[in-house]
Amino acid sequence: MIIRQLEVSPFMENAYIVGCEETKQAVIFDPGDEAGRIAAEVQRLGLTVREIIATHAHIDHIGAVHALKEMLGVPFRIHKNEEILVKAYDQQCRMFGIRFGAEPGIDGYIEEGGEIAVGNLKARVLLTPGHSPGGLCFYFQGSPGSVIVGDTLFMGSIGRTDLIGGDMKTLIANIKNKILTLPEDTKVYSGHGPMTTVGREMKTNPFLLMY
């Protein structure tokens, strides 16, 4: 399994290229900015991207989607509850006073309980709203496993809940019921900041110990 993290945009957002070493197929998660840099890294790794997926539709996670779709000719998928945020792309840009690219078109939806395939790799889809209305996480089983969590969970923190669709109780419940139930050695790849593990956050994250 190949996981390449690229920190992009003034928001220091983590875009991820996840690839299958055997088939060289890949998926790009949360390309927030710097489409050219992301595409160049895909080429350097010798991978072929099959689709772009966003854990959620805040602008710092989808700003490069439109450009990458045009460059790579691949579809973009997200949870249906995030469509309201995609359609509010211009309003989001005005709110933060910054624009990364054009509003991306949605080509399909991802639902909880299913799987996504990356070559021979499979990830279980976890619906974890609370930071946004249809936030998703993607769990790749392994030794150790890996989970792409977007802004649901960070090292020592959790996603903000003061934006559209945010709710603290919902977010905490989803983290505890869907992320912290994964094996403790599972690597957690967040939308901002460094990688952590399920066990570390279970034992030390102040927000999860407080609530």
Side-chain angles (χ1 to χ4, degrees):
M1 182 178 183
I2 300 165
I3 300 183
R4 178 73 171 96
Q5 174 185 316
L6 296 171
E7 187 179 82
V8 300
S9 89
F11 286 97
M12 301 174 70
E13 184 265 339
N14 293 328
Y16 292 99
I17 301 166
V18 177
C20 172
E21 294 187 63
E22 297 172 347
T23 67
K24 302 300 181 182
Q25 295 293 301
V27 169
I28 298 174
F29 290 94
D30 291 351
D33 196 11
E34 303 180 48
R37 180 179 165 216
I38 294 171
E41 185 64 15
V42 168
Q43 185 175 32
R44 188 190 72 79
L45 293 169
L47 300 173
T48 300
V49 176
R50 62 182 299 273
E51 65 178 332
I52 299 165
I53 293 174
T55 58
H56 64 292
H58 290 151
I59 57 169
D60 57 326
H61 288 254
I62 64 171
V65 171
H66 177 80
L68 280 168
K69 283 181 61 176
E70 291 197 331
M71 294 168 69
L72 303 176
V74 296
F76 167 57
R77 293 198 294 155
I78 200 165
H79 192 273
K80 188 170 181 59
N81 289 352
E82 294 292 301
E83 185 174 13
I84 185 174
L85 295 178
V86 174
K87 297 303 182 185
Y89 187 84
D90 287 340
Q91 292 95 311
Q92 290 194 64
C93 291
R94 288 195 295 271
M95 185 189 334
F96 290 102
I98 194 167
R99 174 175 284 277
F100 299 117
E103 176 187 317
I106 300 172
D107 301 296
Y109 299 102
I110 301 175
E111 299 297 332
E112 182 176 39
E115 291 184 330
I116 64 160
V118 186
N120 294 332
L121 305 172
K122 286 184 171 33
R124 178 155 47 98
V125 179
L126 309 173
L127 179 61
T128 56
H131 172 65
S132 67
L136 295 172
C137 297
F138 300 89
Y139 172 56
F140 293 87
Q141 190 171 359
S143 299
S146 301
V147 60
I148 307 288
V149 299
D151 290 357
T152 295
L153 177 65
F154 304 117
M155 179 184 284
S157 190
I158 61 173
R160 61 188 292 183
T161 57
D162 60 334
L163 300 173
I164 295 173
D167 183 81
M168 173 70 81
K169 289 183 179 179
T170 299
L171 181 60
I172 293 291
N174 280 317
I175 293 172
K176 289 186 173 182
N177 295 332
K178 297 183 180 181
I179 304 299
L180 298 191
T181 53
L182 299 174
E184 289 191 26
D185 64 351
T186 302
K187 295 179 180 180
V188 177
Y189 292 91
S190 302
H192 304 268
M195 183 196 74
T196 184
T197 66
V198 166
R200 177 186 178 117
E201 299 315 303
M202 184 186 301
K203 296 165 185 172
T204 67
N205 190 306
F207 291 91
L208 304 179
L209 295 174
M210 184 185 311
Y211 295 100

